[in-house]
Amino acid sequence: MRVQSSATAAPPIAVTTRRRRPGLGGTLQAALGVLAFSLTFPATAWGLQGFGPWSLVAVRSVLAAAIASCCLLTLRVPLPARRHWPGLAVVAAGVVLGFPLLTTLALQTSTTAHAAVVVGLLPLTTALFSALRMGTRPSRTFWAAALAGACAVLAFTVQQSGGALTAADGYLAGALLVCAAGYTEGGRLARVMPGWQVIGWALVFCLPLTVPAAALALTYEPVHLTAHGVAGLLWVAAGSQFLGLVVWYRGMAAIGIPRASQLQLAQPLLTLVWSVLLLGEHLTAAAPLTAAAVLVCIAVTQRSRS
């Protein structure tokens, strides 16, 4: 009589795999990026109190590149593969050079509340760029919530500025497009290399342009060193230009570009809060209603499945 071994008698164990949903860590990192970005416009306004627009943009890029270079050299990070250079060029053109320059020029004549219209439209524009560049196809619910949130923020910021279109709007429109392209390409690259290396190499690659530009701008534009001017410069260099983008790209790589971009719907409202606290600007009664609408839109977009 043959006795069947327990190894063969035991029924097969069913192994099930559970599809992992985007983790809280990625959302938290993207949210920290949004928090850092929300201070960019007020800090830029402070920086303009001590520096000219061209000096501020060039010097902030050089300082941020110096921080990035120290990190890259300390960790002995090798140069990125050549196939990634075109993507890094897009990040550099959009995030390192284009967006800071265009928004700084706009803030010479525009309030931070008016400039926040760029951030209000940026999530939707970034999602559009992502769909075109990477073939992502978010759901209809996602698009409806994203469009509703963008419209709410746009209506609020335009109402804050009195509805008047100025020359600064041209700068803001250009900033919107180049930043969305830079965010999309940076989020794509952050899937194959650490997010801090994406922005780090983009900053370093810009040094041949930003160092001469900083020297030239500082020669021709007057500099008045004040506490606000220096603090604004240091924040836009270290916080907005480097650290904020590090956590932002890591967050986009973890939860996806469309989902991460919708967290930026809260950025204009955060910027307006900082504008009141740091710049003394005044808000209307529409702020709480807009905040509630934006939070609802964020909740819908985060729960909708791509």
Side-chain angles (χ1 to χ4, degrees):
M1 182 178 179
R2 179 182 297 178
V3 179
Q4 191 176 22
S5 66
S6 59
T8 58
I13 299 175
V15 179
T16 60
T17 59
R18 181 178 298 176
R19 185 179 178 181
R20 297 181 62 183
R21 297 183 64 84
L24 180 61
T27 301
L28 178 60
Q29 290 183 91
L32 288 175
V34 171
L35 180 61
F37 299 153
S38 70
L39 278 162
T40 300
F41 287 168
T44 300
W46 272 9
L48 286 172
Q49 296 178 17
F51 300 87
W54 296 90
S55 299
L56 181 61
V57 172
V59 172
R60 72 180 271 186
S61 297
V62 171
L63 291 178
I67 299 173
S69 298
C70 291
C71 296
L72 293 169
L73 289 173
T74 300
L75 298 177
R76 298 181 180 180
V77 178
L79 280 171
R82 285 185 176 272
R83 67 180 182 275
H84 299 320
W85 288 14
L88 289 171
V90 175
V91 175
V95 177
V96 177
L97 300 177
F99 186 79
L101 176 60
L102 292 170
T103 53
T104 299
L105 292 174
L107 285 171
Q108 286 188 289
T109 57
S110 172
T111 65
T112 56
H114 184 79
V117 69
V118 174
V119 182
L121 294 176
L122 190 55
L124 182 59
T125 310
T126 302
L128 287 172
F129 268 77
S130 175
L132 294 173
R133 177 69 176 87
M134 304 176 65
T136 56
R137 294 293 182 268
S139 65
R140 292 181 179 179
T141 302
F142 179 97
W143 284 117
L147 184 59
C151 289
V153 173
L154 177 60
F156 177 66
T157 50
V158 169
Q159 186 271 337
Q160 285 282 296
S161 64
L165 295 178
T166 66
D169 292 316
Y171 293 130
L172 296 175
L176 171 68
L177 295 177
V178 298
C179 190
Y183 278 176
T184 299
E185 202 64 24
R188 184 187 68 82
L189 288 173
R191 295 180 176 180
V192 295
M193 68 174 68
W196 73 271
Q197 293 183 24
V198 174
I199 186 57
W201 285 118
L203 286 164
V204 171
F205 286 173
C206 286
L207 280 174
L209 294 175
T210 54
V211 169
L216 186 63
L218 289 172
T219 301
Y220 287 96
E221 290 183 338
V223 175
H224 305 286
L225 293 181
T226 64
H228 281 177
V230 173
L233 171 63
L234 292 178
W235 178 258
V236 293
S240 302
Q241 194 81 71
F242 184 67
L243 296 177
L245 286 168
V246 168
V247 293
W248 174 243
Y249 281 142
R250 286 175 61 90
M252 283 199 296
I255 66 176
I257 295 174
R259 292 180 186 274
S261 68
Q262 299 317 302
L263 291 175
Q264 280 197 306
L265 287 170
Q267 185 173 327
L269 303 178
L270 290 172
T271 298
L272 291 171
V273 171
W274 295 124
S275 299
V276 172
L277 296 177
L278 301 178
L279 303 176
E281 295 185 6
H282 299 284
L283 301 182
T284 67
L289 295 177
T290 308
V294 167
L295 290 176
V296 170
C297 292
I298 291 176
V300 173
T301 56
Q302 292 302 301
R303 289 181 177 275
S304 64
R305 299 183 64 179
S306 300

